[in-house]
Amino acid sequence: MSQVFEGYERQYCELSANLSKKITSAGLLDGEQKKQKVSEIKGGLEDADGLIRKMDLEARSLTPNAKATLLAKLREYKTDLNNLKAGVKRITSANANQAARDELLESGMADTMMASADQRTRLLMSTERLNQSTERIRESRKTMLETEELGVSILQDLHQQRQSLLHAHNTLHGVDDNISRSKKILTNMSRRMSRNKWIIGTIITVLVMAIILILYFKLTH
């Protein structure tokens, strides 16, 4: 529910209750006191009309669901305001006398004020239920946002873990490359050592044969 509408609503309920009391007390007065009281009441009714118009404008600026709910409440407030205006007309009637005033206070006015009080009670109860529903919606939205934040955090952690795994994979791949190069180097070294062994063996064999030939020639001559 709109907080602006709630503010106007509280002001109207307080003003309506105050006007209801003033109308009841004005019906018991006479002369100048009654005129002053009626003047105060009419000023209050103008303020109430202003609040009704403000609530109407605020309700129509909201979403369709919220607007429908608030306009339904607003119709009840308009009915309550019309009852207050009717009460003022009755106590300001030029043909009214003390007996009619007493009868009005005992019957019609009492019924009207009771109906208005019942309406205000129902409206306040409806307002309380709407406030509770709004609070539940806020809590649900808060939970949803917290869940969304948790999901984002988990995705970030998973992304970091993926980056770490990719880095480890690249590192292992680099190690494999180094091992492959080392293996090739060792293989080449082994081949060179084998070749060198054959060369040295051949040289030694040639030297031995040369020594044998030299000794043979010396011994024979």
Side-chain angles (χ1 to χ4, degrees):
M1 184 187 295
S2 169
Q3 293 183 351
V4 176
F5 186 95
E6 289 179 355
Y8 293 148
E9 184 180 38
R10 284 193 296 270
Q11 293 179 41
Y12 176 81
C13 289
E14 292 173 357
L15 181 57
S16 176
N18 188 30
L19 288 173
S20 178
K21 293 178 181 179
K22 287 183 177 180
I23 290 171
T24 302
S25 63
L28 302 174
L29 299 175
D30 290 315
E32 193 63 26
Q33 290 182 344
K34 182 176 180 179
K35 289 181 181 180
Q36 291 179 357
K37 184 65 69 174
V38 169
S39 178
E40 291 178 7
I41 293 170
K42 288 182 178 179
L45 289 174
E46 290 177 0
D47 293 339
D49 268 325
L51 290 171
I52 290 291
R53 287 193 296 271
K54 289 178 180 179
M55 284 190 284
D56 185 79
L57 290 174
E58 180 63 19
R60 294 181 187 278
S61 68
L62 300 177
T63 59
N65 291 336
K67 179 172 70 175
T69 301
L70 296 181
L71 288 178
K73 294 180 63 177
L74 192 58
R75 284 193 292 272
E76 296 185 13
Y77 288 136
K78 288 179 179 179
T79 300
D80 177 68
L81 181 59
N82 289 332
N83 289 336
L84 293 173
K85 290 179 179 179
V88 174
K89 288 181 180 180
R90 280 192 291 271
I91 65 173
T92 56
S93 175
N95 298 325
N97 52 35
Q98 185 65 37
R101 201 159 52 239
D102 292 340
E103 183 181 355
L104 180 64
L105 289 171
E106 291 175 359
S107 58
M109 182 64 76
D111 292 339
T112 300
M113 294 302 106
M114 184 176 295
S116 297
D118 290 341
Q119 285 181 342
R120 282 192 292 273
T121 300
R122 288 196 300 271
L123 290 173
L124 290 174
M125 291 177 63
S126 299
T127 301
E128 184 64 25
R129 286 195 294 270
L130 285 172
N131 289 338
Q132 291 175 356
S133 299
T134 302
E135 188 63 29
R136 286 195 294 271
I137 291 172
R138 287 175 182 170
E139 290 295 330
S140 300
R141 185 172 181 274
K142 181 180 178 182
T143 302
M144 181 184 68
L145 291 175
E146 291 175 350
T147 303
E148 182 179 353
E149 290 176 357
L150 179 60
V152 170
S153 177
I154 292 173
L155 288 176
Q156 290 176 347
D157 291 341
L158 290 174
H159 178 72
Q160 291 176 355
Q161 291 176 4
R162 180 176 179 274
Q163 293 298 324
S164 298
L165 290 173
L166 289 174
H167 179 70
H169 175 74
N170 292 333
T171 302
L172 290 174
H173 184 70
V175 172
D176 289 340
D177 291 341
N178 291 332
I179 291 174
S180 297
R181 285 196 295 270
S182 299
K183 185 177 179 180
K184 289 180 181 178
I185 292 171
L186 290 173
T187 302
N188 291 330
M189 289 177 65
S190 177
R191 288 175 181 174
R192 288 195 189 97
M193 288 177 66
S194 298
R195 203 165 43 243
N196 289 337
K197 286 180 180 180
W198 282 105
I199 292 172
I200 292 171
T202 302
I203 292 172
I204 292 172
T205 302
V206 171
L207 290 174
V208 170
M209 292 178 66
I211 292 170
I212 292 172
L213 287 173
I214 291 170
L215 292 174
Y216 174 77
F217 282 114
K218 285 183 176 183
L219 292 174
T220 55
H221 295 290

